[in-house]
Each structure stands twice: as C-alpha cells, then as structure tokens.
C-alpha cells in the first residue's frame, strides 16, 4: 500500500462554488486507478500516474457540460492539495483530507 492510497474527501474552489467530492485512490507501481464521486455523480479516473507522492490524472465529466479535466495533487500525510484544470475555464485549487 502506497502513501497515496485511500479515500480522500476533497473540495474544489470553482466559479460555481465549492465542489465537494470523494476520490478513491488505489496505486499500482507508478500508475493508479480510482473514482471521483460528487454532487454530479461518479466518474472513473483515467490516465492515473504516480510520481513519488504526486498524483496526475484525467476525468471525463459530463455534467454540467462534457469536458475532460486534467488534475494534479500532492499527498502529504493525510492532506492532499492540488489543482483541477478545466481547459479554457482555467485551473481551480483543490484540497482535502484522507478519510479512509
């Protein structure tokens, strides 16, 4: 089990207000898989890579509009911080804590 594995409760500061979600991380070497579940439903993590304690991934969201989000976050103990890239809409800060 890697230091990044677990269930993370996160908040993204977006123009639509705080977007809360739960991200499940399961690492396998320098790759990882998981899901992100929030107010708009659940999406699979795709292209998950791991570099030390830094996670990179993409998510194909469909609501409120179809868009691929490009994400990066760093784990420090039970804290996760990073950013969510929403293409032309810019990058939004994300932070959270491990809940399991």
């Amino acid at each position: 089990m890697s230091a990044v594995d677990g269930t993370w409760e996160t908040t993204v500061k977006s123009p639509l207000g705080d977007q809360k979600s739960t991200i499940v991380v399961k690492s396998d070497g320098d790759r990882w898989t998981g899901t992100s579940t929030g107010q708009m439903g659940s999406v699979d993590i795709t292209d998950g890579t791991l570099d030390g304690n830094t996670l990179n991934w993409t998510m194909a969201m469909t609501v409120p509009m179809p868009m691929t989000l490009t994400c990066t976050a760093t784990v420090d103990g039970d804290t996760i911080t990073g950013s969510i890239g929403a293409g032309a809409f810019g990058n939004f800060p994300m932070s959270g804590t491990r809940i399991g």
Side-chain angles (χ1 to χ4, degrees):
M1 183 168 174
S2 165
V4 301
D5 287 356
T7 302
W8 299 89
E9 197 166 80
T10 64
T11 302
V12 175
K13 302 284 187 188
S14 86
L16 301 174
D18 287 0
Q19 302 296 312
K20 296 187 181 302
S21 65
T22 302
I23 299 174
V24 176
V25 176
K26 184 175 184 337
S27 64
D28 181 11
D30 63 353
R31 316 255 338 133
W32 70 279
T33 57
T35 56
S36 176
T37 306
Q39 296 140 298
M40 307 291 185
S42 182
V43 296
D44 287 332
I45 302 296
T46 51
D47 303 322
T49 61
L50 182 59
D51 181 9
N53 283 352
T54 300
L55 300 160
N56 294 288
W57 72 99
T58 56
M59 296 184 293
M61 90 177 193
T62 55
V63 179
M65 69 184 73
M67 178 185 308
T68 298
L69 303 177
T70 305
C71 314
T72 186
T74 301
V75 171
D76 182 9
D78 288 332
T79 301
I80 189 168
T81 54
S83 67
I84 307 297
F89 296 99
N91 290 320
F92 311 119
M94 184 264 292
S95 62
T97 56
R98 188 186 328 246
I99 58 170

